[in-house]
Amino acid sequence: VFSQTRGTPAPIDPSELERSLQDFGTARMLPRAAYVDPAVLAWEQANIFSGWMCVGRAADIAQPGDQKAVTTGQGGVLLTRDDSGDVHAFANVCRHRGHELLACGVAAINKKAIVCPYHAWTYQLDGTLRAAPTFKDVAGFSTEDFPLARLAVADWHGWLFVDPSGDSGSFAAHVGSAEAVIAPYSPQDLTVVARHEYELATNWKIIVENYQECYHCPMIHPELCRVSPPTSGEDVELDGTWMAGWMDLAAGAQTMSLDGSSGGVAIQGLSEQELSTVMYIVGFPNLLVSLHPDYVMTHILTPLAADRTHVECTWAFPADVAAKPGFDPAYAVDFWDLTNRQDWAACESVQRGLSSPHAIPGPMAPEETGVHDFVTRMARAYAGVPAR
Ligand code: FES
Ligand SMILES: [Fe+2]
């Protein structure tokens, strides 16, 4: 449910949205404006990327004193870990005159306090203002009046999520039954061994839509099709805001790699079904989780402009596998880096195509039920009505 969308419609012609709200079979893709109009992105930043969204891994701020700022919809988010190990999230804005407390998008730093780089107001890791230079004798000034703006935060299986709006409901309700799909893989116990950053000249939704279907796989992913039959699999019905579907591994393939073999070890405790499939989950709106028998890959999407998106891709393996001397994650990383680049080329081409005023929303193929699911959710949000 887009509880963060409180009935403010997006700047999109409602009659155009009607086509996207229809049942599977007759529905059309989102209106072109959804992909190219900066006003629509601004609406999404205020109404979609203001509720629960993924901001990275808890392990990125593993130690007490670790601090890191990330870009989100409206303004950055500052993440800290305090001396008792608790994670906090704040708006990345100083209570004095608004300087960012930390630069966004750089690796975590470790300090006993949060120090604003402008005039050195100093905050504790829990957001309390500790000191404001020369204010000591200013009549009526109290540090208690200037704590950092606290945001709701959740550490879920090792991923951190924030809800800047503060009224998007509980995180558990947001995730819904995706919890049961992901839990067997124990992502919180996996170690991120590789990380790639991509900046794509495409709208963030084109990346999600591409992730939701394998109708394109025979055309652009010959390597993928060798280890996972593109027509295999099914969507999974979930009751939260997330979406999922799985695909089979080909006979004899242990995982997604160029030759189907694993250079690691299967995650402990997976079922027969989990060992012979790959589960693809869209953690709405910006986390894509690909659950393999022996590793978990995630993409975190950050919209930068209507036609520009930052993507961070990580690969995580069981801790004992990751710690083995000489362990080489290339079998997984190289396979998906190749596949990612094939996808990115297609997504960027779709963006260029949609820049044409002649672009008209097209229909969805029988294989594109996942695309329909996502398009419908977006169209409902745009229309200012609940997602389900
Ligand atoms: S703006 Fe942060 S100390 Fe002045
Ligand atoms: Fe693809």
Side-chain angles (χ1 to χ4, degrees), residues 91-149:
N92 186 29
V93 52
C94 181
R95 290 296 309 274
H96 176 222
R97 281 181 34 224
H99 198 285
E100 290 172 305
L101 297 159
L102 275 184
C104 287
V106 295
I109 60 162
N110 187 278
K111 267 191 188 171
K112 287 193 175 356
I114 304 158
V115 182
C116 179
Y118 200 7
H119 314 95
W121 279 34
T122 301
Y123 303 85
Q124 284 164 204
L125 296 165
D126 68 0
T128 314
L129 178 61
R130 192 162 75 190
T134 76
F135 267 91
K136 208 162 67 198
D137 301 323
V138 173
F141 180 83
S142 166
T143 52
E144 281 168 27
D145 294 337
F146 300 98
L148 295 179

Short mmCIF file of all heavy atoms in Angstrom, two decimals, residues 91-149:
data_model
loop_
_atom_site.label_atom_id
_atom_site.label_comp_id
_atom_site.label_asym_id
_atom_site.label_seq_id
_atom_site.Cartn_x
_atom_site.Cartn_y
_atom_site.Cartn_z
N ALA A 91 17.71 13.07 9.04
CA ALA A 91 17.86 13.93 7.87
C ALA A 91 19.28 14.48 7.91
O ALA A 91 19.77 14.88 8.96
CB ALA A 91 16.84 15.06 7.92
N ASN A 92 19.94 14.50 6.75
CA ASN A 92 21.37 14.89 6.69
C ASN A 92 21.47 16.41 6.62
O ASN A 92 22.02 16.97 5.67
CB ASN A 92 22.02 14.23 5.47
CG ASN A 92 23.51 14.46 5.41
OD1 ASN A 92 24.17 14.60 6.44
ND2 ASN A 92 24.05 14.49 4.19
N VAL A 93 20.92 17.08 7.64
CA VAL A 93 20.89 18.54 7.61
C VAL A 93 21.14 19.08 9.02
O VAL A 93 20.50 18.67 9.99
CB VAL A 93 19.55 19.07 7.03
CG1 VAL A 93 18.35 18.45 7.72
CG2 VAL A 93 19.47 20.59 7.09
N CYS A 94 22.11 19.99 9.10
CA CYS A 94 22.48 20.56 10.40
C CYS A 94 21.37 21.48 10.91
O CYS A 94 20.73 22.20 10.13
CB CYS A 94 23.79 21.34 10.25
SG CYS A 94 24.34 22.06 11.80
N ARG A 95 21.17 21.46 12.24
CA ARG A 95 20.13 22.28 12.84
C ARG A 95 20.53 23.75 12.94
O ARG A 95 19.74 24.59 13.32
CB ARG A 95 19.76 21.75 14.25
CG ARG A 95 19.02 20.42 14.24
CD ARG A 95 17.66 20.49 13.56
NE ARG A 95 16.81 21.57 14.04
CZ ARG A 95 16.00 21.51 15.09
NH1 ARG A 95 15.94 20.41 15.81
NH2 ARG A 95 15.26 22.55 15.43
N HIS A 96 21.79 24.07 12.62
CA HIS A 96 22.20 25.47 12.64
C HIS A 96 21.72 26.16 11.38
O HIS A 96 20.66 26.75 11.35
CB HIS A 96 23.73 25.58 12.82
CG HIS A 96 24.26 26.98 12.76
ND1 HIS A 96 25.41 27.30 12.09
CD2 HIS A 96 23.77 28.14 13.27
CE1 HIS A 96 25.61 28.61 12.20
NE2 HIS A 96 24.64 29.14 12.91
N ARG A 97 22.46 26.04 10.28
CA ARG A 97 22.03 26.72 9.07
C ARG A 97 21.93 25.79 7.87
O ARG A 97 21.92 26.24 6.72
CB ARG A 97 22.92 27.93 8.77
CG ARG A 97 22.51 29.12 9.67
CD ARG A 97 23.31 30.37 9.44
NE ARG A 97 23.74 30.59 8.09
CZ ARG A 97 24.99 30.99 7.77
NH1 ARG A 97 25.88 31.24 8.71
NH2 ARG A 97 25.31 31.16 6.52
N GLY A 98 21.83 24.48 8.17
CA GLY A 98 21.42 23.57 7.11
C GLY A 98 22.51 22.90 6.30
O GLY A 98 22.21 22.21 5.32
N HIS A 99 23.76 23.07 6.70
CA HIS A 99 24.83 22.38 5.96
C HIS A 99 24.60 20.87 6.05
O HIS A 99 24.10 20.36 7.06
CB HIS A 99 26.18 22.74 6.60
CG HIS A 99 27.38 22.49 5.73
ND1 HIS A 99 27.89 21.24 5.51
CD2 HIS A 99 28.17 23.35 5.04
CE1 HIS A 99 28.95 21.33 4.72
NE2 HIS A 99 29.14 22.60 4.41
N GLU A 100 24.98 20.14 4.99
CA GLU A 100 24.95 18.68 5.09
C GLU A 100 25.95 18.25 6.16
O GLU A 100 27.06 18.78 6.21
CB GLU A 100 25.34 18.04 3.76
CG GLU A 100 24.32 18.20 2.66
CD GLU A 100 24.88 17.70 1.34
OE1 GLU A 100 25.96 18.19 0.93
OE2 GLU A 100 24.26 16.84 0.73
N LEU A 101 25.58 17.26 6.94
CA LEU A 101 26.49 16.81 8.00
C LEU A 101 27.61 15.96 7.43
O LEU A 101 28.74 16.03 7.89
CB LEU A 101 25.69 16.05 9.06
CG LEU A 101 24.66 16.98 9.73
CD1 LEU A 101 23.55 16.19 10.37
CD2 LEU A 101 25.35 17.89 10.74
N LEU A 102 27.30 15.19 6.43
CA LEU A 102 28.31 14.38 5.73
C LEU A 102 28.00 14.44 4.25
O LEU A 102 26.83 14.56 3.87
CB LEU A 102 28.23 12.92 6.18
CG LEU A 102 28.97 12.47 7.43
CD1 LEU A 102 28.80 10.96 7.57
CD2 LEU A 102 30.46 12.81 7.36
N ALA A 103 29.03 14.33 3.42
CA ALA A 103 28.80 14.26 1.98
C ALA A 103 28.13 12.93 1.65
O ALA A 103 28.47 11.89 2.23
CB ALA A 103 30.12 14.38 1.23
N CYS A 104 27.16 12.95 0.75
CA CYS A 104 26.44 11.73 0.38
C CYS A 104 27.27 10.89 -0.58
O CYS A 104 28.04 11.40 -1.39
CB CYS A 104 25.12 12.09 -0.29
SG CYS A 104 23.89 12.72 0.84
N GLY A 105 27.07 9.58 -0.46
CA GLY A 105 27.61 8.68 -1.47
C GLY A 105 29.07 8.31 -1.29
O GLY A 105 29.66 7.68 -2.17
N VAL A 106 29.68 8.70 -0.17
CA VAL A 106 31.06 8.28 0.07
C VAL A 106 31.07 7.24 1.18
O VAL A 106 30.09 7.08 1.91
CB VAL A 106 31.99 9.47 0.41
CG1 VAL A 106 32.10 10.40 -0.78
CG2 VAL A 106 31.50 10.22 1.63
N ALA A 107 32.18 6.51 1.32
CA ALA A 107 32.26 5.43 2.31
C ALA A 107 32.09 5.99 3.72
O ALA A 107 32.32 7.17 3.98
CB ALA A 107 33.60 4.72 2.17
N ALA A 108 31.71 5.10 4.63
CA ALA A 108 31.48 5.51 6.02
C ALA A 108 32.77 6.03 6.64
O ALA A 108 33.87 5.57 6.31
CB ALA A 108 30.96 4.32 6.82
N ILE A 109 32.61 6.99 7.55
CA ILE A 109 33.73 7.42 8.38
C ILE A 109 33.44 6.95 9.80
O ILE A 109 32.31 6.55 10.11
CB ILE A 109 33.90 8.96 8.39
CG1 ILE A 109 32.64 9.65 8.93
CG2 ILE A 109 34.24 9.47 6.99
CD1 ILE A 109 32.88 11.07 9.38
N ASN A 110 34.46 6.95 10.66
CA ASN A 110 34.26 6.56 12.05
C ASN A 110 34.71 7.68 12.97
O ASN A 110 35.86 8.11 12.92
CB ASN A 110 35.01 5.27 12.36
CG ASN A 110 34.67 4.76 13.75
OD1 ASN A 110 35.22 5.22 14.74
ND2 ASN A 110 33.71 3.85 13.82
N LYS A 111 33.78 8.18 13.79
CA LYS A 111 34.05 9.28 14.72
C LYS A 111 33.16 9.12 15.93
O LYS A 111 32.06 8.58 15.82
CB LYS A 111 33.70 10.63 14.06
CG LYS A 111 34.84 11.34 13.36
CD LYS A 111 34.39 12.75 13.01
CE LYS A 111 35.42 13.45 12.12
NZ LYS A 111 34.88 14.72 11.61
N LYS A 112 33.60 9.65 17.06
CA LYS A 112 32.81 9.53 18.29
C LYS A 112 31.56 10.41 18.24
O LYS A 112 30.62 10.22 19.02
CB LYS A 112 33.66 9.94 19.48
CG LYS A 112 34.71 8.91 19.83
CD LYS A 112 35.29 9.22 21.20
CE LYS A 112 36.27 8.18 21.71
NZ LYS A 112 36.48 6.99 20.90
N ALA A 113 31.57 11.41 17.37
CA ALA A 113 30.44 12.34 17.30
C ALA A 113 30.24 12.76 15.84
O ALA A 113 31.09 12.53 14.99
CB ALA A 113 30.72 13.58 18.16
N ILE A 114 29.08 13.40 15.61
CA ILE A 114 28.79 13.93 14.27
C ILE A 114 29.16 15.41 14.32
O ILE A 114 28.59 16.16 15.12
CB ILE A 114 27.29 13.77 13.95
CG1 ILE A 114 26.85 12.31 14.09
CG2 ILE A 114 26.97 14.33 12.57
CD1 ILE A 114 25.34 12.15 14.31
N VAL A 115 30.10 15.82 13.50
CA VAL A 115 30.56 17.21 13.54
C VAL A 115 30.21 17.90 12.23
O VAL A 115 30.65 17.47 11.15
CB VAL A 115 32.08 17.29 13.77
CG1 VAL A 115 32.53 18.75 13.87
CG2 VAL A 115 32.47 16.51 15.02
N CYS A 116 29.41 18.96 12.29
CA CYS A 116 29.07 19.68 11.07
C CYS A 116 30.32 20.39 10.54
O CYS A 116 31.02 21.08 11.29
CB CYS A 116 27.96 20.70 11.34
SG CYS A 116 27.54 21.64 9.85
N PRO A 117 30.60 20.23 9.26
CA PRO A 117 31.83 20.79 8.70
C PRO A 117 31.80 22.32 8.56
O PRO A 117 32.83 22.92 8.26
CB PRO A 117 31.93 20.16 7.30
CG PRO A 117 30.84 19.17 7.20
CD PRO A 117 29.83 19.47 8.27
N TYR A 118 30.63 22.94 8.81
CA TYR A 118 30.52 24.38 8.53
C TYR A 118 30.94 25.22 9.75
O TYR A 118 31.87 26.01 9.69
CB TYR A 118 29.08 24.68 8.11
CG TYR A 118 28.86 25.97 7.34
CD1 TYR A 118 29.91 26.77 6.90
CD2 TYR A 118 27.55 26.37 7.03
CE1 TYR A 118 29.67 27.95 6.18
CE2 TYR A 118 27.31 27.53 6.30
CZ TYR A 118 28.38 28.32 5.89
OH TYR A 118 28.13 29.47 5.19
N HIS A 119 30.25 25.04 10.92
CA HIS A 119 30.60 25.81 12.11
C HIS A 119 30.81 24.92 13.33
O HIS A 119 30.76 25.37 14.46
CB HIS A 119 29.51 26.83 12.45
CG HIS A 119 29.01 27.62 11.27
ND1 HIS A 119 27.89 27.26 10.56
CD2 HIS A 119 29.49 28.75 10.68
CE1 HIS A 119 27.67 28.13 9.58
NE2 HIS A 119 28.64 29.04 9.61
N ALA A 120 30.96 23.62 13.04
CA ALA A 120 31.34 22.65 14.08
C ALA A 120 30.28 22.40 15.16
O ALA A 120 30.63 22.05 16.28
CB ALA A 120 32.67 23.04 14.72
N TRP A 121 29.01 22.59 14.86
CA TRP A 121 28.02 22.05 15.79
C TRP A 121 28.26 20.54 15.86
O TRP A 121 28.51 19.89 14.83
CB TRP A 121 26.58 22.33 15.30
CG TRP A 121 26.10 23.72 15.62
CD1 TRP A 121 26.85 24.86 15.64
CD2 TRP A 121 24.76 24.09 15.95
NE1 TRP A 121 26.05 25.93 15.96
CE2 TRP A 121 24.76 25.49 16.16
CE3 TRP A 121 23.55 23.39 16.08
CZ2 TRP A 121 23.60 26.20 16.50
CZ3 TRP A 121 22.40 24.09 16.40
CH2 TRP A 121 22.43 25.48 16.63
N THR A 122 28.19 20.02 17.08
CA THR A 122 28.58 18.64 17.30
C THR A 122 27.43 17.87 17.94
O THR A 122 26.87 18.29 18.96
CB THR A 122 29.82 18.59 18.22
OG1 THR A 122 30.86 19.33 17.55
CG2 THR A 122 30.30 17.18 18.44
N TYR A 123 27.08 16.75 17.33
CA TYR A 123 25.93 15.94 17.77
C TYR A 123 26.42 14.58 18.23
O TYR A 123 27.40 14.04 17.69
CB TYR A 123 24.94 15.73 16.61
CG TYR A 123 24.43 17.00 15.99
CD1 TYR A 123 25.15 17.65 14.99
CD2 TYR A 123 23.21 17.55 16.38
CE1 TYR A 123 24.69 18.82 14.41
CE2 TYR A 123 22.74 18.73 15.81
CZ TYR A 123 23.48 19.35 14.82
OH TYR A 123 23.00 20.50 14.25
N GLN A 124 25.72 13.99 19.19
CA GLN A 124 26.01 12.61 19.56
C GLN A 124 25.48 11.68 18.47
O GLN A 124 24.67 12.08 17.63
CB GLN A 124 25.36 12.29 20.91
CG GLN A 124 26.14 12.92 22.04
CD GLN A 124 25.37 12.97 23.35
OE1 GLN A 124 25.67 13.80 24.18
NE2 GLN A 124 24.38 12.09 23.53
N LEU A 125 25.94 10.42 18.54
CA LEU A 125 25.55 9.46 17.51
C LEU A 125 24.05 9.18 17.53
O LEU A 125 23.50 8.65 16.57
CB LEU A 125 26.35 8.16 17.68
CG LEU A 125 27.86 8.34 17.47
CD1 LEU A 125 28.62 7.14 18.02
CD2 LEU A 125 28.18 8.56 15.99
N ASP A 126 23.38 9.54 18.63
CA ASP A 126 21.92 9.38 18.69
C ASP A 126 21.18 10.65 18.27
O ASP A 126 19.97 10.76 18.44
CB ASP A 126 21.47 8.94 20.08
CG ASP A 126 21.68 10.03 21.13
OD1 ASP A 126 22.18 11.14 20.77
OD2 ASP A 126 21.36 9.78 22.30
N GLY A 127 21.92 11.63 17.75
CA GLY A 127 21.28 12.82 17.19
C GLY A 127 21.13 13.99 18.16
O GLY A 127 20.72 15.07 17.76
N THR A 128 21.49 13.76 19.42
CA THR A 128 21.39 14.86 20.41
C THR A 128 22.47 15.90 20.13
O THR A 128 23.63 15.53 19.90
CB THR A 128 21.62 14.29 21.83
OG1 THR A 128 20.85 13.11 21.98
CG2 THR A 128 21.25 15.31 22.89
N LEU A 129 22.12 17.17 20.20
CA LEU A 129 23.14 18.22 20.04
C LEU A 129 23.97 18.28 21.31
O LEU A 129 23.43 18.43 22.41
CB LEU A 129 22.48 19.58 19.76
CG LEU A 129 23.45 20.76 19.61
CD1 LEU A 129 24.41 20.56 18.44
CD2 LEU A 129 22.68 22.07 19.45
N ARG A 130 25.29 18.14 21.15
CA ARG A 130 26.18 18.14 22.33
C ARG A 130 26.77 19.53 22.54
O ARG A 130 26.88 19.99 23.66
CB ARG A 130 27.29 17.11 22.13
CG ARG A 130 28.08 16.83 23.39
CD ARG A 130 28.85 15.54 23.25
NE ARG A 130 30.02 15.71 22.40
CZ ARG A 130 30.76 14.70 21.97
NH1 ARG A 130 30.44 13.45 22.28
NH2 ARG A 130 31.81 14.91 21.21
N ALA A 131 27.18 20.16 21.47
CA ALA A 131 27.84 21.47 21.63
C ALA A 131 27.64 22.32 20.40
O ALA A 131 27.67 21.82 19.27
CB ALA A 131 29.34 21.26 21.88
N ALA A 132 27.45 23.62 20.64
CA ALA A 132 27.35 24.61 19.56
C ALA A 132 28.32 25.73 19.91
O ALA A 132 28.05 26.50 20.84
CB ALA A 132 25.93 25.13 19.43
N PRO A 133 29.48 25.80 19.24
CA PRO A 133 30.52 26.74 19.65
C PRO A 133 29.98 28.17 19.83
O PRO A 133 29.22 28.65 18.99
CB PRO A 133 31.52 26.68 18.49
CG PRO A 133 31.33 25.33 17.91
CD PRO A 133 29.88 25.00 18.08
N THR A 134 30.39 28.80 20.94
CA THR A 134 30.10 30.18 21.36
C THR A 134 28.64 30.42 21.74
O THR A 134 28.27 31.53 22.10
CB THR A 134 30.52 31.24 20.30
OG1 THR A 134 29.59 31.24 19.23
CG2 THR A 134 31.93 31.03 19.79
N PHE A 135 27.81 29.40 21.71
CA PHE A 135 26.41 29.58 22.11
C PHE A 135 26.23 29.42 23.62
O PHE A 135 25.14 29.64 24.14
CB PHE A 135 25.51 28.56 21.41
CG PHE A 135 24.90 29.05 20.12
CD1 PHE A 135 25.55 28.86 18.91
CD2 PHE A 135 23.67 29.71 20.12
CE1 PHE A 135 24.99 29.31 17.72
CE2 PHE A 135 23.10 30.16 18.94
CZ PHE A 135 23.77 29.97 17.73
N LYS A 136 27.32 29.05 24.31
CA LYS A 136 27.20 28.67 25.71
C LYS A 136 26.52 29.76 26.54
O LYS A 136 25.69 29.48 27.40
CB LYS A 136 28.58 28.35 26.30
CG LYS A 136 28.50 27.36 27.43
CD LYS A 136 29.85 26.72 27.71
CE LYS A 136 30.76 27.80 28.25
NZ LYS A 136 32.15 27.55 28.22
N ASP A 137 26.87 31.03 26.27
CA ASP A 137 26.34 32.12 27.10
C ASP A 137 25.19 32.86 26.42
O ASP A 137 24.77 33.91 26.90
CB ASP A 137 27.47 33.10 27.43
CG ASP A 137 28.58 32.39 28.18
OD1 ASP A 137 28.25 31.51 29.01
OD2 ASP A 137 29.76 32.66 27.90
N VAL A 138 24.70 32.31 25.33
CA VAL A 138 23.58 32.98 24.66
C VAL A 138 22.31 32.70 25.45
O VAL A 138 21.97 31.53 25.70
CB VAL A 138 23.44 32.49 23.20
CG1 VAL A 138 22.17 33.06 22.56
CG2 VAL A 138 24.67 32.87 22.40
N ALA A 139 21.65 33.78 25.85
CA ALA A 139 20.48 33.63 26.71
C ALA A 139 19.39 32.82 26.00
O ALA A 139 19.10 33.05 24.83
CB ALA A 139 19.93 35.02 27.06
N GLY A 140 18.85 31.89 26.71
CA GLY A 140 17.72 31.12 26.19
C GLY A 140 18.10 29.98 25.25
O GLY A 140 17.24 29.23 24.82
N PHE A 141 19.39 29.84 24.95
CA PHE A 141 19.78 28.77 24.04
C PHE A 141 19.94 27.47 24.81
O PHE A 141 20.61 27.43 25.84
CB PHE A 141 21.10 29.10 23.34
CG PHE A 141 21.53 28.01 22.38
CD1 PHE A 141 21.03 27.94 21.10
CD2 PHE A 141 22.43 27.03 22.80
CE1 PHE A 141 21.43 26.94 20.23
CE2 PHE A 141 22.82 26.00 21.94
CZ PHE A 141 22.31 25.96 20.65
N SER A 142 19.30 26.41 24.31
CA SER A 142 19.46 25.11 24.94
C SER A 142 19.74 24.08 23.86
O SER A 142 19.02 24.00 22.86
CB SER A 142 18.19 24.72 25.70
OG SER A 142 18.24 23.36 26.03
N THR A 143 20.77 23.27 24.06
CA THR A 143 21.10 22.23 23.08
C THR A 143 19.91 21.28 22.90
O THR A 143 19.74 20.69 21.84
CB THR A 143 22.34 21.43 23.51
OG1 THR A 143 22.14 20.98 24.85
CG2 THR A 143 23.59 22.29 23.43
N GLU A 144 19.11 21.15 23.96
CA GLU A 144 17.97 20.22 23.88
C GLU A 144 16.96 20.60 22.80
O GLU A 144 16.17 19.77 22.36
CB GLU A 144 17.24 20.18 25.22
CG GLU A 144 17.94 19.32 26.23
CD GLU A 144 17.38 19.52 27.63
OE1 GLU A 144 16.19 19.89 27.74
OE2 GLU A 144 18.14 19.31 28.58
N ASP A 145 16.99 21.85 22.39
CA ASP A 145 16.01 22.31 21.39
C ASP A 145 16.42 21.97 19.96
O ASP A 145 15.66 22.23 19.03
CB ASP A 145 15.81 23.83 21.49
CG ASP A 145 15.16 24.22 22.80
OD1 ASP A 145 14.50 23.36 23.41
OD2 ASP A 145 15.33 25.38 23.22
N PHE A 146 17.64 21.43 19.79
CA PHE A 146 18.14 21.26 18.42
C PHE A 146 18.70 19.86 18.13
O PHE A 146 19.83 19.72 17.67
CB PHE A 146 19.22 22.32 18.13
CG PHE A 146 18.69 23.73 18.26
CD1 PHE A 146 18.90 24.45 19.44
CD2 PHE A 146 17.97 24.31 17.23
CE1 PHE A 146 18.40 25.75 19.57
CE2 PHE A 146 17.47 25.60 17.35
CZ PHE A 146 17.69 26.33 18.53
N PRO A 147 17.90 18.82 18.40
CA PRO A 147 18.36 17.49 17.99
C PRO A 147 18.23 17.33 16.48
O PRO A 147 17.45 18.06 15.84
CB PRO A 147 17.39 16.55 18.72
CG PRO A 147 16.12 17.35 18.80
CD PRO A 147 16.53 18.80 18.96
N LEU A 148 18.95 16.39 15.92
CA LEU A 148 18.77 16.09 14.49
C LEU A 148 17.37 15.52 14.25
O LEU A 148 16.78 14.90 15.14
CB LEU A 148 19.83 15.09 14.02
CG LEU A 148 21.27 15.60 14.08
CD1 LEU A 148 22.24 14.51 13.59
CD2 LEU A 148 21.42 16.86 13.22
N ALA A 149 16.86 15.72 13.04
CA ALA A 149 15.53 15.19 12.68
C ALA A 149 15.66 13.68 12.48
O ALA A 149 16.34 13.22 11.56
CB ALA A 149 15.03 15.86 11.42
#
